[in-house]
Amino acid sequence: MTTRVLIIGGYGNFGSFITKSLARERNIQLIIAGRSIDKANTLAANLEAAHNSETVALDISGNLESSLRAIRPNITIHTSGPFQTQGYHVANACIDVGSHYIDLADGRTFVAGIRELDQHARDKGVLVVSGASSVPCLTAALVDHYQHEFGALESLDYGITTAQKTARGLATTAAILSYTGKPFRTLIDGVMRNVYGWQDLHSRNYPGIGRRMLGNCEIPDLDLFPQRYPTLKTIRFYAGLELPLVHMTLWMISGLVRTGLIRKLERVAPLLLRISFLFDRFGSETSAFHMVLTGTDKDGARKQITFDLTARKGDGPYIPCMPAILLARKLANQEIGKTGATPCMDLITLNEYLSALGNMNITWQVT
């Protein structure tokens, strides 16, 4: 049986990675959707696909349920952010028409709050998954894999540094700017404390890459992990840009937002995105991720595990896209019987995640 998979924003930066990966699946019929039917048709015409992909013009702000009933998807993958400013109308529409739902949201409140749809999804017999991305899917899979080596896991220090030449769009830029310079809470020394987006400037030496600048980044883990891993006392997550000048510029802007001199930074997202492309000639296609887990071993001695991942030649975007790809495959192969609504945890193991990245220019090490 062929499973109909609708990808909303299927020709976008992340959507196109998912589309190209799933197009080769013989038991999947793709429907590429978005506001531009021309862009959808162009991508469909150039795919290496097991089946000819369908295309449809779709605006999620319109009569979405009616559109979905006409499209008849078995699975819907929602890639059109930023999710920080969205409600659950897309997920609810999918539930109502009996379609499984997967999104790539990284909005803290959006992902953590998806559980409010749990009973609705169960009643309709579908699975609703939010945050099928690096956070919290990869990060939770890492902690789940290594936490058993600790007597008590006390601290997580982790982050992502993106390549200057990475695929990026307006939605990603707007999502970053939504918390730049603004306060949010994270667990520090056992207490939820305020930190400010893109501040706490520091650098880290990544293996084979060198030093990259980092600053505070707000993600769903900051709400989800204190409950999931009760021995944790500190959770610090950071993000960074490859070029020091670009990163420092955003750090300085974050200070202006914090002091109130800039109030609506999201309004200039299109301008800042255009400016960022001017610096691509000075950057690379290499991104990286790290996680440092610290605590005590089962004998009470101090213990630390460091996981480093490096993505080269522009393969970095496959890392946040991989959970949606894997979940779509699993659902199409009827390997998941779970229903309800959940953040993307407990559905993909670390070994599954890393194995799926194995054919790309992505390497990792554990020390």
Side-chain angles (χ1 to χ4, degrees), residues 4 6-7 11 29-34 36-45 47 52-58 71:
R4 294 177 60 79
L6 169 67
I7 306 179
Y11 51 77
Q29 173 64 56
L30 284 183
I31 307 101
I32 306 169
S36 172
I37 191 65
D38 290 338
K39 292 180 180 179
N41 286 336
T42 298
L43 178 58
L47 281 177
N52 290 331
S53 299
E54 298 176 19
T55 60
V56 62
L58 183 66
I71 297 168

PDB file of all heavy atoms in Angstrom, residues 4 6-7 11 29-34 36-45 47 52-58 71:
ATOM      1  N   ARG A   4       0.314   8.290   1.468  1.00  0.00           N
ATOM      2  CA  ARG A   4       0.332   9.654   0.949  1.00  0.00           C
ATOM      3  C   ARG A   4       0.934  10.590   2.007  1.00  0.00           C
ATOM      4  O   ARG A   4       0.382  10.719   3.113  1.00  0.00           O
ATOM      5  CB  ARG A   4      -1.087  10.093   0.572  1.00  0.00           C
ATOM      6  CG  ARG A   4      -1.652   9.302  -0.598  1.00  0.00           C
ATOM      7  CD  ARG A   4      -3.092   9.703  -0.910  1.00  0.00           C
ATOM      8  NE  ARG A   4      -3.226  11.114  -1.269  1.00  0.00           N
ATOM      9  CZ  ARG A   4      -2.938  11.619  -2.464  1.00  0.00           C
ATOM     10  NH1 ARG A   4      -2.473  10.814  -3.426  1.00  0.00           N
ATOM     11  NH2 ARG A   4      -3.116  12.901  -2.723  1.00  0.00           N
ATOM     12  N   LEU A   6       2.046  14.385   2.745  1.00  0.00           N
ATOM     13  CA  LEU A   6       1.966  15.800   2.385  1.00  0.00           C
ATOM     14  C   LEU A   6       3.067  16.559   3.110  1.00  0.00           C
ATOM     15  O   LEU A   6       3.207  16.444   4.336  1.00  0.00           O
ATOM     16  CB  LEU A   6       0.595  16.354   2.786  1.00  0.00           C
ATOM     17  CG  LEU A   6       0.405  17.876   2.739  1.00  0.00           C
ATOM     18  CD1 LEU A   6       0.470  18.376   1.300  1.00  0.00           C
ATOM     19  CD2 LEU A   6      -0.907  18.271   3.403  1.00  0.00           C
ATOM     20  N   ILE A   7       3.860  17.344   2.384  1.00  0.00           N
ATOM     21  CA  ILE A   7       4.903  18.158   2.992  1.00  0.00           C
ATOM     22  C   ILE A   7       4.552  19.620   2.779  1.00  0.00           C
ATOM     23  O   ILE A   7       4.636  20.141   1.663  1.00  0.00           O
ATOM     24  CB  ILE A   7       6.295  17.840   2.416  1.00  0.00           C
ATOM     25  CG1 ILE A   7       6.583  16.346   2.531  1.00  0.00           C
ATOM     26  CG2 ILE A   7       7.368  18.649   3.145  1.00  0.00           C
ATOM     27  CD1 ILE A   7       7.927  15.937   1.974  1.00  0.00           C
ATOM     28  N   TYR A  11       9.086  22.702  -0.673  1.00  0.00           N
ATOM     29  CA  TYR A  11      10.158  23.216  -1.532  1.00  0.00           C
ATOM     30  C   TYR A  11      11.052  24.211  -0.783  1.00  0.00           C
ATOM     31  O   TYR A  11      11.957  24.796  -1.362  1.00  0.00           O
ATOM     32  CB  TYR A  11       9.576  23.901  -2.778  1.00  0.00           C
ATOM     33  CG  TYR A  11       8.504  24.924  -2.465  1.00  0.00           C
ATOM     34  CD1 TYR A  11       8.825  26.186  -1.970  1.00  0.00           C
ATOM     35  CD2 TYR A  11       7.164  24.619  -2.632  1.00  0.00           C
ATOM     36  CE1 TYR A  11       7.840  27.112  -1.654  1.00  0.00           C
ATOM     37  CE2 TYR A  11       6.169  25.540  -2.330  1.00  0.00           C
ATOM     38  CZ  TYR A  11       6.511  26.784  -1.845  1.00  0.00           C
ATOM     39  OH  TYR A  11       5.542  27.697  -1.524  1.00  0.00           O
ATOM     40  N   GLN A  29       3.868   8.169  -1.582  1.00  0.00           N
ATOM     41  CA  GLN A  29       3.461   9.109  -2.620  1.00  0.00           C
ATOM     42  C   GLN A  29       3.539  10.509  -2.037  1.00  0.00           C
ATOM     43  O   GLN A  29       2.819  10.839  -1.099  1.00  0.00           O
ATOM     44  CB  GLN A  29       2.029   8.829  -3.081  1.00  0.00           C
ATOM     45  CG  GLN A  29       1.462   9.871  -4.039  1.00  0.00           C
ATOM     46  CD  GLN A  29       2.210   9.920  -5.360  1.00  0.00           C
ATOM     47  OE1 GLN A  29       2.331   8.907  -6.046  1.00  0.00           O
ATOM     48  NE2 GLN A  29       2.727  11.090  -5.720  1.00  0.00           N
ATOM     49  N   LEU A  30       4.426  11.335  -2.582  1.00  0.00           N
ATOM     50  CA  LEU A  30       4.633  12.679  -2.042  1.00  0.00           C
ATOM     51  C   LEU A  30       3.655  13.677  -2.632  1.00  0.00           C
ATOM     52  O   LEU A  30       3.338  13.639  -3.824  1.00  0.00           O
ATOM     53  CB  LEU A  30       6.052  13.157  -2.330  1.00  0.00           C
ATOM     54  CG  LEU A  30       7.190  12.594  -1.482  1.00  0.00           C
ATOM     55  CD1 LEU A  30       8.503  13.260  -1.885  1.00  0.00           C
ATOM     56  CD2 LEU A  30       6.939  12.799  -0.007  1.00  0.00           C
ATOM     57  N   ILE A  31       3.201  14.597  -1.774  1.00  0.00           N
ATOM     58  CA  ILE A  31       2.442  15.763  -2.212  1.00  0.00           C
ATOM     59  C   ILE A  31       3.201  16.986  -1.706  1.00  0.00           C
ATOM     60  O   ILE A  31       3.295  17.227  -0.493  1.00  0.00           O
ATOM     61  CB  ILE A  31       1.008  15.770  -1.667  1.00  0.00           C
ATOM     62  CG1 ILE A  31       0.290  14.462  -1.996  1.00  0.00           C
ATOM     63  CG2 ILE A  31       0.239  16.963  -2.229  1.00  0.00           C
ATOM     64  CD1 ILE A  31       0.232  13.495  -0.836  1.00  0.00           C
ATOM     65  N   ILE A  32       3.794  17.743  -2.627  1.00  0.00           N
ATOM     66  CA  ILE A  32       4.586  18.915  -2.276  1.00  0.00           C
ATOM     67  C   ILE A  32       3.665  20.128  -2.263  1.00  0.00           C
ATOM     68  O   ILE A  32       3.020  20.444  -3.273  1.00  0.00           O
ATOM     69  CB  ILE A  32       5.727  19.133  -3.288  1.00  0.00           C
ATOM     70  CG1 ILE A  32       6.574  17.860  -3.422  1.00  0.00           C
ATOM     71  CG2 ILE A  32       6.597  20.315  -2.884  1.00  0.00           C
ATOM     72  CD1 ILE A  32       7.548  17.906  -4.581  1.00  0.00           C
ATOM     73  N   ALA A  33       3.586  20.811  -1.130  1.00  0.00           N
ATOM     74  CA  ALA A  33       2.622  21.904  -0.974  1.00  0.00           C
ATOM     75  C   ALA A  33       3.280  23.169  -0.457  1.00  0.00           C
ATOM     76  O   ALA A  33       4.299  23.132   0.233  1.00  0.00           O
ATOM     77  CB  ALA A  33       1.505  21.477  -0.014  1.00  0.00           C
ATOM     78  N   GLY A  34       2.654  24.281  -0.803  1.00  0.00           N
ATOM     79  CA  GLY A  34       3.093  25.583  -0.327  1.00  0.00           C
ATOM     80  C   GLY A  34       2.307  26.647  -1.062  1.00  0.00           C
ATOM     81  O   GLY A  34       1.465  26.354  -1.916  1.00  0.00           O
ATOM     82  N   SER A  36       3.407  28.708  -3.247  1.00  0.00           N
ATOM     83  CA  SER A  36       3.842  28.869  -4.636  1.00  0.00           C
ATOM     84  C   SER A  36       3.758  27.538  -5.375  1.00  0.00           C
ATOM     85  O   SER A  36       4.596  26.650  -5.175  1.00  0.00           O
ATOM     86  CB  SER A  36       5.276  29.403  -4.701  1.00  0.00           C
ATOM     87  OG  SER A  36       5.754  29.394  -6.029  1.00  0.00           O
ATOM     88  N   ILE A  37       2.766  27.391  -6.220  1.00  0.00           N
ATOM     89  CA  ILE A  37       2.654  26.155  -7.004  1.00  0.00           C
ATOM     90  C   ILE A  37       3.799  26.052  -8.013  1.00  0.00           C
ATOM     91  O   ILE A  37       4.245  24.941  -8.342  1.00  0.00           O
ATOM     92  CB  ILE A  37       1.287  26.098  -7.727  1.00  0.00           C
ATOM     93  CG1 ILE A  37       1.053  24.703  -8.316  1.00  0.00           C
ATOM     94  CG2 ILE A  37       1.187  27.182  -8.789  1.00  0.00           C
ATOM     95  CD1 ILE A  37       0.921  23.607  -7.288  1.00  0.00           C
ATOM     96  N   ASP A  38       4.319  27.173  -8.473  1.00  0.00           N
ATOM     97  CA  ASP A  38       5.441  27.150  -9.418  1.00  0.00           C
ATOM     98  C   ASP A  38       6.683  26.530  -8.779  1.00  0.00           C
ATOM     99  O   ASP A  38       7.382  25.720  -9.405  1.00  0.00           O
ATOM    100  CB  ASP A  38       5.755  28.558  -9.919  1.00  0.00           C
ATOM    101  CG  ASP A  38       4.667  29.112 -10.837  1.00  0.00           C
ATOM    102  OD1 ASP A  38       3.912  28.304 -11.409  1.00  0.00           O
ATOM    103  OD2 ASP A  38       4.572  30.348 -10.959  1.00  0.00           O
ATOM    104  N   LYS A  39       6.982  26.924  -7.532  1.00  0.00           N
ATOM    105  CA  LYS A  39       8.146  26.355  -6.843  1.00  0.00           C
ATOM    106  C   LYS A  39       7.947  24.864  -6.577  1.00  0.00           C
ATOM    107  O   LYS A  39       8.889  24.068  -6.684  1.00  0.00           O
ATOM    108  CB  LYS A  39       8.402  27.107  -5.538  1.00  0.00           C
ATOM    109  CG  LYS A  39       8.881  28.541  -5.731  1.00  0.00           C
ATOM    110  CD  LYS A  39       9.122  29.231  -4.389  1.00  0.00           C
ATOM    111  CE  LYS A  39       9.612  30.667  -4.595  1.00  0.00           C
ATOM    112  NZ  LYS A  39       9.836  31.359  -3.302  1.00  0.00           N
ATOM    113  N   ALA A  40       6.724  24.491  -6.232  1.00  0.00           N
ATOM    114  CA  ALA A  40       6.425  23.081  -5.996  1.00  0.00           C
ATOM    115  C   ALA A  40       6.601  22.278  -7.286  1.00  0.00           C
ATOM    116  O   ALA A  40       7.197  21.188  -7.282  1.00  0.00           O
ATOM    117  CB  ALA A  40       5.009  22.929  -5.449  1.00  0.00           C
ATOM    118  N   ASN A  41       6.114  22.802  -8.388  1.00  0.00           N
ATOM    119  CA  ASN A  41       6.230  22.106  -9.672  1.00  0.00           C
ATOM    120  C   ASN A  41       7.688  21.983 -10.110  1.00  0.00           C
ATOM    121  O   ASN A  41       8.100  20.946 -10.654  1.00  0.00           O
ATOM    122  CB  ASN A  41       5.437  22.849 -10.746  1.00  0.00           C
ATOM    123  CG  ASN A  41       3.938  22.673 -10.587  1.00  0.00           C
ATOM    124  OD1 ASN A  41       3.488  21.691 -10.003  1.00  0.00           O
ATOM    125  ND2 ASN A  41       3.174  23.623 -11.103  1.00  0.00           N
ATOM    126  N   THR A  42       8.472  23.037  -9.879  1.00  0.00           N
ATOM    127  CA  THR A  42       9.888  23.006 -10.267  1.00  0.00           C
ATOM    128  C   THR A  42      10.636  21.924  -9.506  1.00  0.00           C
ATOM    129  O   THR A  42      11.420  21.157 -10.092  1.00  0.00           O
ATOM    130  CB  THR A  42      10.546  24.378 -10.010  1.00  0.00           C
ATOM    131  OG1 THR A  42       9.910  25.369 -10.818  1.00  0.00           O
ATOM    132  CG2 THR A  42      12.025  24.335 -10.340  1.00  0.00           C
ATOM    133  N   LEU A  43      10.403  21.836  -8.198  1.00  0.00           N
ATOM    134  CA  LEU A  43      11.062  20.800  -7.409  1.00  0.00           C
ATOM    135  C   LEU A  43      10.602  19.414  -7.852  1.00  0.00           C
ATOM    136  O   LEU A  43      11.429  18.507  -8.034  1.00  0.00           O
ATOM    137  CB  LEU A  43      10.775  21.001  -5.923  1.00  0.00           C
ATOM    138  CG  LEU A  43      11.369  19.947  -4.983  1.00  0.00           C
ATOM    139  CD1 LEU A  43      12.892  19.866  -5.136  1.00  0.00           C
ATOM    140  CD2 LEU A  43      11.010  20.246  -3.536  1.00  0.00           C
ATOM    141  N   ALA A  44       9.300  19.249  -8.040  1.00  0.00           N
ATOM    142  CA  ALA A  44       8.767  17.939  -8.427  1.00  0.00           C
ATOM    143  C   ALA A  44       9.364  17.469  -9.752  1.00  0.00           C
ATOM    144  O   ALA A  44       9.652  16.276  -9.931  1.00  0.00           O
ATOM    145  CB  ALA A  44       7.248  18.007  -8.512  1.00  0.00           C
ATOM    146  N   ALA A  45       9.562  18.387 -10.677  1.00  0.00           N
ATOM    147  CA  ALA A  45      10.077  18.027 -12.001  1.00  0.00           C
ATOM    148  C   ALA A  45      11.535  17.591 -11.961  1.00  0.00           C
ATOM    149  O   ALA A  45      12.004  16.914 -12.892  1.00  0.00           O
ATOM    150  CB  ALA A  45       9.922  19.215 -12.952  1.00  0.00           C
ATOM    151  N   LEU A  47      13.023  15.937  -9.259  1.00  0.00           N
ATOM    152  CA  LEU A  47      13.266  14.930  -8.232  1.00  0.00           C
ATOM    153  C   LEU A  47      13.677  13.593  -8.849  1.00  0.00           C
ATOM    154  O   LEU A  47      13.180  13.208  -9.915  1.00  0.00           O
ATOM    155  CB  LEU A  47      11.999  14.700  -7.399  1.00  0.00           C
ATOM    156  CG  LEU A  47      11.646  15.711  -6.313  1.00  0.00           C
ATOM    157  CD1 LEU A  47      10.317  15.315  -5.660  1.00  0.00           C
ATOM    158  CD2 LEU A  47      12.739  15.811  -5.262  1.00  0.00           C
ATOM    159  N   ASN A  52       5.871   9.814  -9.480  1.00  0.00           N
ATOM    160  CA  ASN A  52       5.701  11.226  -9.794  1.00  0.00           C
ATOM    161  C   ASN A  52       5.030  11.921  -8.623  1.00  0.00           C
ATOM    162  O   ASN A  52       3.970  11.486  -8.154  1.00  0.00           O
ATOM    163  CB  ASN A  52       4.852  11.396 -11.060  1.00  0.00           C
ATOM    164  CG  ASN A  52       5.595  10.957 -12.306  1.00  0.00           C
ATOM    165  OD1 ASN A  52       6.821  11.037 -12.371  1.00  0.00           O
ATOM    166  ND2 ASN A  52       4.857  10.478 -13.301  1.00  0.00           N
ATOM    167  N   SER A  53       5.648  12.996  -8.151  1.00  0.00           N
ATOM    168  CA  SER A  53       5.114  13.716  -6.991  1.00  0.00           C
ATOM    169  C   SER A  53       3.945  14.599  -7.402  1.00  0.00           C
ATOM    170  O   SER A  53       3.974  15.229  -8.467  1.00  0.00           O
ATOM    171  CB  SER A  53       6.201  14.563  -6.339  1.00  0.00           C
ATOM    172  OG  SER A  53       7.258  13.749  -5.882  1.00  0.00           O
ATOM    173  N   GLU A  54       2.940  14.647  -6.540  1.00  0.00           N
ATOM    174  CA  GLU A  54       1.837  15.581  -6.741  1.00  0.00           C
ATOM    175  C   GLU A  54       2.236  16.932  -6.168  1.00  0.00           C
ATOM    176  O   GLU A  54       3.095  17.027  -5.284  1.00  0.00           O
ATOM    177  CB  GLU A  54       0.576  15.070  -6.043  1.00  0.00           C
ATOM    178  CG  GLU A  54       0.075  13.739  -6.567  1.00  0.00           C
ATOM    179  CD  GLU A  54      -1.122  13.232  -5.779  1.00  0.00           C
ATOM    180  OE1 GLU A  54      -1.775  14.055  -5.084  1.00  0.00           O
ATOM    181  OE2 GLU A  54      -1.399  12.023  -5.840  1.00  0.00           O
ATOM    182  N   THR A  55       1.629  17.981  -6.676  1.00  0.00           N
ATOM    183  CA  THR A  55       1.867  19.330  -6.151  1.00  0.00           C
ATOM    184  C   THR A  55       0.534  20.014  -5.921  1.00  0.00           C
ATOM    185  O   THR A  55      -0.449  19.730  -6.613  1.00  0.00           O
ATOM    186  CB  THR A  55       2.710  20.173  -7.121  1.00  0.00           C
ATOM    187  OG1 THR A  55       2.033  20.280  -8.371  1.00  0.00           O
ATOM    188  CG2 THR A  55       4.085  19.553  -7.341  1.00  0.00           C
ATOM    189  N   VAL A  56       0.507  20.919  -4.952  1.00  0.00           N
ATOM    190  CA  VAL A  56      -0.730  21.630  -4.638  1.00  0.00           C
ATOM    191  C   VAL A  56      -0.389  22.979  -4.027  1.00  0.00           C
ATOM    192  O   VAL A  56       0.571  23.097  -3.255  1.00  0.00           O
ATOM    193  CB  VAL A  56      -1.617  20.800  -3.687  1.00  0.00           C
ATOM    194  CG1 VAL A  56      -0.922  20.561  -2.357  1.00  0.00           C
ATOM    195  CG2 VAL A  56      -2.972  21.460  -3.480  1.00  0.00           C
ATOM    196  N   ALA A  57      -1.159  23.998  -4.400  1.00  0.00           N
ATOM    197  CA  ALA A  57      -1.032  25.307  -3.752  1.00  0.00           C
ATOM    198  C   ALA A  57      -1.794  25.259  -2.438  1.00  0.00           C
ATOM    199  O   ALA A  57      -2.978  24.897  -2.409  1.00  0.00           O
ATOM    200  CB  ALA A  57      -1.583  26.399  -4.659  1.00  0.00           C
ATOM    201  N   LEU A  58      -1.118  25.603  -1.343  1.00  0.00           N
ATOM    202  CA  LEU A  58      -1.736  25.484  -0.021  1.00  0.00           C
ATOM    203  C   LEU A  58      -1.260  26.618   0.872  1.00  0.00           C
ATOM    204  O   LEU A  58      -0.062  26.831   1.032  1.00  0.00           O
ATOM    205  CB  LEU A  58      -1.364  24.140   0.615  1.00  0.00           C
ATOM    206  CG  LEU A  58      -1.976  23.828   1.972  1.00  0.00           C
ATOM    207  CD1 LEU A  58      -3.490  23.665   1.856  1.00  0.00           C
ATOM    208  CD2 LEU A  58      -1.358  22.572   2.569  1.00  0.00           C
ATOM    209  N   ILE A  71      -6.916  16.670  -0.416  1.00  0.00           N
ATOM    210  CA  ILE A  71      -5.582  16.093  -0.655  1.00  0.00           C
ATOM    211  C   ILE A  71      -5.500  14.649  -0.162  1.00  0.00           C
ATOM    212  O   ILE A  71      -4.800  13.827  -0.731  1.00  0.00           O
ATOM    213  CB  ILE A  71      -4.502  16.961   0.033  1.00  0.00           C
ATOM    214  CG1 ILE A  71      -4.487  18.361  -0.580  1.00  0.00           C
ATOM    215  CG2 ILE A  71      -3.125  16.316  -0.076  1.00  0.00           C
ATOM    216  CD1 ILE A  71      -3.674  19.373   0.213  1.00  0.00           C
TER     217      ILE A  71
END
